Amino acid sequence: MRSDLVRRVVVAVCAVLAVVGAFVGSGAAGGTPIQEAAGGALSADATLLAPAGPAFSIWSAIYLGLIGYAVWQLLPAQSREGDSARRQRTLGYPVAATLVLNAAWILSVQAGLLAVSAVVIVVLLVALLVAFVLVVRTRRRGQGVIESVLVDGTVGLYLGWVCVATAANITALLTACGFDGWGLAPDAWGVTIVVVAGVAGLGLAVFGAGRLAPTASLAWGLVWVAVSRTTGELVSGAVATAAVVTATALVVATVIIRVVAVARERSALGLASSAANPPTR
């Protein structure tokens, strides 16, 4: 179908656009690295919610997954009628939208438009939530490992990290605008936002029946927030402790949810098998 070909090409082009944007955003193409752009508002020591520099290495895994997905969905097998092809018709454009928004976010930060970058990353978060919902709802029992990694894993990893990045970006904007916390101490605000991020991660774990990828990247970001608050110039024991405790609790809760979900699925399969093959006497 021509519409399928157009969609697959659009996804591939958007993936290239995102990678080029990331290349520029890293400073490798002569641009200013994200941590130094916008007057350093997103640097590791700019706010209490800013993760340490090494945290951003997770983008390598995310971009690798996105490139892998873009190539995989171009393969002839994904154009044939079947469950996988139908799934890609549902996911293609939502994923492409996140790629365009990601590039737009990088460009807005490079241009020093911190307020615009905050709006863009919130829209990106919403787009990723939509993509995640679709990923969960279209997942098939027995789907291949490659599809699980490139589709489910990549979208989950992407979403979890953007949850952390959104909190950091909005905090950076509020700080740059001179937000005084309405009388609440900065540490209290930092702890509150960390806990909110953890609750959001728990919500994703419950909805996704214990999907590990969103939790992994969200916990990764929180741990690096803790590192930044203990080794950087902006020290906060309260925020660091909250970040570590929240990350740990989120991982444990997700694993428990996963174990329970798998046990229920196996039990349901066993009951279905028994009903289909009743014992004979």
Side-chain angles (χ1 to χ4, degrees):
M1 290 171 45
R2 182 178 178 79
S3 59
D4 273 355
L5 177 60
V6 171
R7 169 184 48 78
R8 292 156 64 206
V9 171
V10 166
V11 171
V13 170
C14 290
V16 172
L17 178 64
V19 171
V20 170
F23 187 69
V24 172
S26 69
T32 305
I34 292 295
Q35 292 87 342
E36 299 175 15
L42 298 173
S43 66
D45 294 311
T47 72
L48 291 176
L49 271 297
F56 295 92
S57 63
I58 195 173
W59 276 116
S60 298
I62 294 172
Y63 282 124
L64 185 61
L66 289 170
I67 293 170
Y69 169 70
V71 172
W72 176 79
Q73 58 94 42
L74 279 174
L75 298 178
Q78 305 313 314
S79 65
R80 299 173 191 146
E81 285 302 320
D83 291 338
S84 181
R86 283 190 290 272
R87 192 184 197 205
Q88 301 323 307
R89 292 189 189 109
T90 301
L91 295 174
Y93 285 118
V95 172
T98 71
L99 295 169
V100 173
L101 287 165
N102 186 41
W105 180 81
I106 292 173
L107 291 175
S108 63
V109 174
Q110 286 287 332
L113 303 174
L114 191 59
V116 174
S117 73
V119 173
V120 173
I121 203 167
V122 169
V123 177
L124 171 58
L125 178 60
V126 172
L128 279 168
L129 285 170
V130 171
F132 182 71
V133 168
L134 294 175
V135 163
V136 172
R137 289 181 175 175
T138 59
R139 179 175 172 79
R140 309 180 319 282
R141 185 181 293 118
Q143 69 182 31
V145 173
I146 293 178
E147 181 177 349
S148 295
V149 171
L150 295 181
V151 180
D152 303 60
T154 298
V155 171
L157 208 64
Y158 195 2
L159 172 59
W161 173 252
V162 170
C163 286
V164 176
T166 300
N169 203 155
I170 292 176
T171 302
L173 175 62
L174 292 174
T175 301
C177 292
F179 178 63
D180 62 4
W182 293 326
L184 196 63
D187 280 2
W189 271 108
V191 170
T192 300
I193 296 173
V194 164
V195 172
V196 169
V199 171
L202 181 60
L204 294 176
V206 171
F207 179 77
R211 299 294 176 97
L212 301 178
T215 290
S217 54
L218 207 160
W220 167 272
L222 290 176
V223 168
W224 282 106
V225 167
V227 171
S228 192
R229 298 291 68 79
T230 54
T231 62
E233 297 177 6
L234 190 58
V235 175
S236 173
V239 173
T241 300
V244 171
V245 171
T246 300
T248 303
L250 179 58
V251 169
V252 171
T254 301
V255 170
I256 292 173
I257 292 169
R258 178 77 171 187
V259 169
V260 172
V262 170
R264 286 179 176 174
E265 183 176 349
R266 289 177 177 174
S267 177
L269 286 173
L271 290 174
S273 177
S274 299
N277 301 284
T280 57
R281 295 182 180 179

